[in-house]
């Protein structure tokens, strides 16, 4: 079992362009992880697209890079920073499952049971909750339409977009943009048919994560998510957090603790004000090397 970042920090081979990776998953949400704290070489968008494509690369939902913390991160006690790149090569600010995987690697490396991880979405508090389980504190959860961004101002509690059974969606920001729809029967929803048009609506010029939730009881949610840039994901950590938050904000429940069931498994979510604490498993897939065709620093 891989329990350190030793491979990911192996000496670079500049002549061949080889660079080592560790592949992990959080509920089958797959990440190809590179350590750039010492090897500062990076990737173009086309490199990232190729790495994420299982037909020609490693295959994954995102590429993650571990970086040296900024001055602000060091002041907050963060041992490292994380950057997140979607399968289209575009950088995003937040991913709960990615955060748990990188936090696990860093805690295994240092022997710590808790740490702060710097991300574009803020300084995230993470802690070990089991041998292969990690929790992360995410938030604050907000609903400012400019954060998404949207093409124009709207009522974030009742967005003026609908598709099939998806109506009266709530827009929420948790470092990345989400719209949450509650339905009576999740099994009757076809994400590609019903959620994809929401993602592509002109209201969301940069796309949006579309969550479709069924409140089973006061503290149990069934959830499916159509993620940016347009895929049905096996699990979405931030989506689980905003679904639980939305259930409370809509007045559907007063519970503060939720079990959120996703296609690949379940996450535990606690809501404290505008903050969510997400707990769940992490796992290793494989490790190896990739060869990027170009070397370009995106800093």
């Amino acid at each position: 079992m891989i329990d350190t970042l030793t491979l990911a920090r192996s000496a670079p081979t500049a002549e061949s362009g080889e660079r080592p990776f560790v592949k992990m998953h959080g509920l089958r949400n797959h990440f190809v992880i590179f350590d750039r704290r010492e090897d500062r070489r990076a990737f173009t968008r086309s490199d990232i697209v190729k790495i994420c494509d299982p037909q020609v690369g490693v295959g994954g939902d995102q590429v993650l890079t571990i970086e040296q913390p900024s001055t602000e991160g060091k002041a907050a006690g963060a041992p490292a920073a994380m950057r997140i790149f979607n399968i289209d090569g575009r950088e995003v600010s937040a991913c709960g499952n990615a955060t748990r995987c990188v936090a696990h690697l860093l805690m295994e490396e240092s022997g710590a049971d808790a740490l702060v991880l710097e991300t574009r979405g803020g300084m995230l508090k993470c802690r070990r909750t089991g041998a292969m389980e990690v929790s992360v504190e995410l938030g604050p959860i907000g609903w400012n339409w400019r954060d998404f961004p949207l093409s124009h101002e709207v009522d974030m509690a009742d967005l003026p977009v609908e598709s099939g059974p998806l109506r009266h969606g709530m827009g929420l920001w948790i470092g990345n943009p989400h719209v949450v729809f509650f339905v009576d029967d999740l099994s009757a929803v076809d994400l590609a048919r019903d959620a994809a048009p929401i993602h592509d609506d002109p209201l969301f010029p940069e796309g949006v994560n579309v969550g479709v939730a069924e409140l089973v009881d006061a503290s149990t949610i069934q959830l499916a998510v159509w993620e940016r840039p347009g895929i049905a994901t096996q699990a979405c950590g931030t989506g689980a957090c905003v679904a639980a938050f939305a259930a409370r904000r809509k007045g559907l429940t007063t519970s503060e603790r939720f079990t959120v069931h996703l296609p690949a498994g379940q996450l535990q979510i606690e809501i404290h004000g505008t903050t969510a604490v997400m707990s769940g498993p992490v796992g290793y897939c494989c490790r190896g090397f990739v060869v990027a065709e170009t070397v370009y620093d995106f800093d």
Side-chain angles (χ1 to χ4, degrees):
M1 182 174 67
I2 309 164
D3 58 4
T4 72
L5 279 169
T6 301
L7 180 71
R9 302 183 75 178
S10 299
T13 54
E15 295 80 5
S16 65
E18 286 185 355
R19 58 201 77 180
F21 71 86
V22 174
K23 183 176 178 181
M24 296 186 69
H25 74 97
L27 293 182
R28 298 186 183 181
N29 200 184
H30 292 92
F31 311 104
V32 186
I33 306 169
F34 297 88
D35 191 335
R36 294 186 68 241
R37 288 174 293 178
E38 296 176 4
D39 177 2
R40 295 296 298 157
R41 294 175 302 158
F43 310 94
T44 64
R45 279 194 175 187
S46 62
D47 291 329
I48 293 169
V49 170
K50 181 177 179 180
I51 290 167
C52 290
D53 185 343
Q55 301 300 320
V56 295
V58 181
D61 297 314
Q62 289 172 325
V63 164
L64 311 178
T65 63
I66 300 173
E67 314 276 342
Q68 292 288 354
S70 67
T71 300
E72 181 183 1
K74 291 176 182 177
M82 175 182 68
R83 296 177 73 177
I84 308 165
F85 299 87
N86 277 346
I87 61 173
D88 60 357
R90 181 169 56 180
E91 186 170 8
V92 295
S93 298
C95 176
N97 288 326
T99 301
R100 292 190 297 104
C101 287
V102 169
H104 172 80
L105 281 175
L106 293 169
M107 286 189 285
E108 288 291 288
E109 179 183 66
S110 67
D113 289 325
L115 57 78
V116 175
L117 183 59
E118 181 181 2
T119 72
R120 285 183 62 187
M123 305 295 171
L124 304 183
K125 297 178 181 178
C126 308
R127 63 184 178 89
R128 192 192 306 271
T129 54
M132 294 296 291
E133 293 185 352
V134 175
S135 75
V136 56
E137 184 177 307
L138 297 166
I141 302 171
W143 45 90
N144 186 328
W145 70 276
R146 291 184 176 86
D147 288 334
F148 272 57
L150 301 184
S151 59
H152 58 274
E153 185 173 4
V154 296
D155 180 0
M156 296 293 281
D158 190 2
L159 292 171
V161 291
E162 60 181 56
S163 175
L166 308 187
R167 298 179 175 86
H168 308 296
M170 175 174 286
L172 293 165
W173 175 265
I174 187 171
N176 57 6
H178 288 262
V179 56
V180 182
F181 295 91
F182 282 89
V183 296
D184 294 330
D185 182 7
L186 181 59
S187 66
V189 176
D190 182 322
L191 285 183
R193 179 194 65 204
D194 300 323
I198 301 294
H199 171 275
D200 297 333
D201 192 278
L203 181 64
F204 310 106
E206 296 182 7
V208 68
N209 299 297
V210 183
V212 184
E214 177 186 342
L215 188 67
V216 179
D217 58 44
S219 59
T220 306
I221 295 173
Q222 294 275 2
L223 177 67
V225 180
W226 186 262
E227 275 194 348
R228 294 191 304 176
I231 57 173
T233 185
Q234 290 291 300
C236 179
T238 54
C241 292
V242 295
F245 183 87
R248 286 175 50 81
R249 191 159 182 253
K250 280 180 169 288
L252 303 178
T253 178
T254 58
S255 178
E256 295 181 344
R257 297 173 181 266
F258 296 85
T259 298
V260 179
H261 295 270
L262 295 133
Q266 64 186 42
L267 293 168
Q268 303 300 318
I269 307 295
E270 297 180 23
I271 302 295
H272 306 290
T274 59
T275 298
V277 178
M278 174 186 63
S279 302
V282 299
Y284 293 107
C285 301
C286 62
R287 57 182 177 177
F289 295 84
V290 300
V291 177
E293 294 180 356
T294 53
V295 180
Y296 173 74
D297 198 329
F298 43 54
D299 287 338

